[in-house]
């Protein structure tokens, strides 16, 4: 079974092999291989622009910034639960350009999907030349403590991807402190949200 979906791999496999540039970089028990894959794909010394996984020929990227930072990790807590994303670049032709964000756990289980243009059904045309896209995503304040991973996309929704930036954002959350003083953790089975 070959996939980048860590959740599916962990459900279907007992052992695994991780390939890197055509050679085996890790093999063994599936949890060890998946952990190694996730650790090696999230490096804090790379800028977000260096982590682009696909870019169409008609788009250039000058800047990707998340909460004022150009690299991982992004820190959130119950009082600071906003992700502010800035894309700057240029187009050599007019394009319908929409923004999408997806949040996953370390096993690639989807937790959040943000796509304002799927929601409204309207995708504006961005004219050729310089562009700037700024989106503010306000997450619930009651996210449980954990490390989560994000993907960003510039798309023409349902038609084409212009740019993909997959599984390369690390978001660390401090958790939601309850009135009893407890902070519950996603990895310890508390789930993504602490419901009030």
């Amino acid at each position: 079974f070959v996939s980048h979906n860590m959740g599916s791999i962990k459900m279907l496999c007992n052992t695994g092999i991780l390939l890197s540039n055509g050679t085996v970089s890790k093999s063994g028990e599936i949890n060890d291989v998946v952990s190694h894959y996730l650790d090696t794909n999230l490096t804090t010394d790379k800028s977000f622009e260096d982590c682009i996984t696909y870019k169409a020929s008609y788009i250039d990227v000058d800047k990707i910034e998340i909460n004022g930072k150009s690299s991982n990790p992004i820190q959130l807590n119950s009082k600071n639960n906003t992700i502010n994303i800035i894309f700057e670049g240029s187009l050599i032709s007019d394009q319908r350009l929409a923004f999408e964000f997806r949040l996953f756990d370390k096993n690639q289980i989807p937790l959040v999907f943000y796509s304002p243009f799927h929601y409204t059904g309207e995708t504006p045309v961005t004219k050729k030349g310089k562009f700037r896209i700024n989106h503010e995503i306000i997450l619930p304040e009651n996210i449980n403590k954990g490390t989560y991973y994000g993907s960003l996309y510039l798309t023409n929704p349902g038609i084409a991807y212009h740019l993909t930036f997959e599984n390369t954002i690390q978001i660390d959350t401090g958790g939601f402190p309850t009135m009893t003083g407890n902070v519950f953790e996603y990895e310890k089975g508390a789930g993504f949200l602490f419901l009030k």
Side-chain angles (χ1 to χ4, degrees):
F1 180 70
V2 179
S3 178
H4 287 278
N5 185 314
M6 297 301 104
S8 296
I9 287 174
K10 286 177 82 169
M11 284 179 18
L12 295 171
C13 304
N14 295 322
T15 60
I17 297 172
L18 176 62
L19 297 176
S20 178
N21 298 320
T23 61
V24 175
S25 66
K26 178 79 174 172
S27 65
E29 197 273 325
I30 198 63
N31 289 327
D32 293 338
V33 175
V34 166
S35 292
H36 181 77
Y37 169 80
L38 294 170
D39 291 342
T40 56
N41 283 323
L42 281 168
T43 56
T44 56
D45 58 346
K46 282 185 169 180
S47 72
F48 291 133
E49 295 97 76
D50 291 337
C51 297
I52 293 170
T53 52
Y54 168 76
K55 184 176 72 67
S57 60
Y58 49 79
I59 189 169
D60 283 317
V61 176
D62 299 326
K63 174 181 175 182
I64 302 172
E65 193 174 271
I66 302 170
N67 288 8
K69 293 181 68 178
S70 61
S71 63
N72 285 313
I74 306 302
Q75 302 287 335
L76 299 178
N77 57 48
S78 61
K79 294 185 176 22
N80 173 27
N81 59 338
T82 300
I83 301 173
N84 191 323
I85 301 169
I86 296 171
F87 274 98
E88 292 180 359
S90 58
L91 292 168
I92 62 170
S93 60
D94 296 354
Q95 298 290 332
R96 292 197 179 276
L97 206 60
F99 173 82
E100 295 180 9
F101 173 77
R102 297 175 192 205
L103 190 67
F104 303 88
D105 70 4
K106 75 174 186 176
N107 296 312
Q108 297 299 291
I109 295 172
L111 302 171
V112 172
F113 179 54
Y114 172 82
S115 178
F117 301 107
H118 273 292
Y119 189 80
T120 63
E122 300 173 9
T123 304
V125 173
T126 302
K127 299 291 185 186
K128 70 178 181 178
K130 294 283 186 185
F131 70 88
R132 184 176 200 269
I133 297 173
N134 187 2
H135 279 270
E136 184 177 83
I137 302 167
I138 301 173
L139 296 171
E141 67 178 22
N142 50 334
I143 294 174
N144 284 320
K145 182 177 180 178
T147 297
Y148 305 99
Y149 304 95
S151 297
L152 302 176
Y153 308 88
L154 292 181
T155 71
N156 185 351
I159 297 172
Y161 286 94
H162 304 299
L163 182 141
T164 64
F165 182 70
E166 296 187 281
N167 307 317
T168 50
I169 304 165
Q170 179 180 326
I171 298 173
D172 295 328
T173 61
F176 177 76
T178 65
M179 295 304 286
T180 61
N182 291 321
V183 174
F184 292 92
E185 297 183 40
Y186 180 83
E187 287 294 317
K188 293 185 178 176
F192 181 59
L193 295 175
F194 186 93
L195 299 179
K196 298 179 188 181

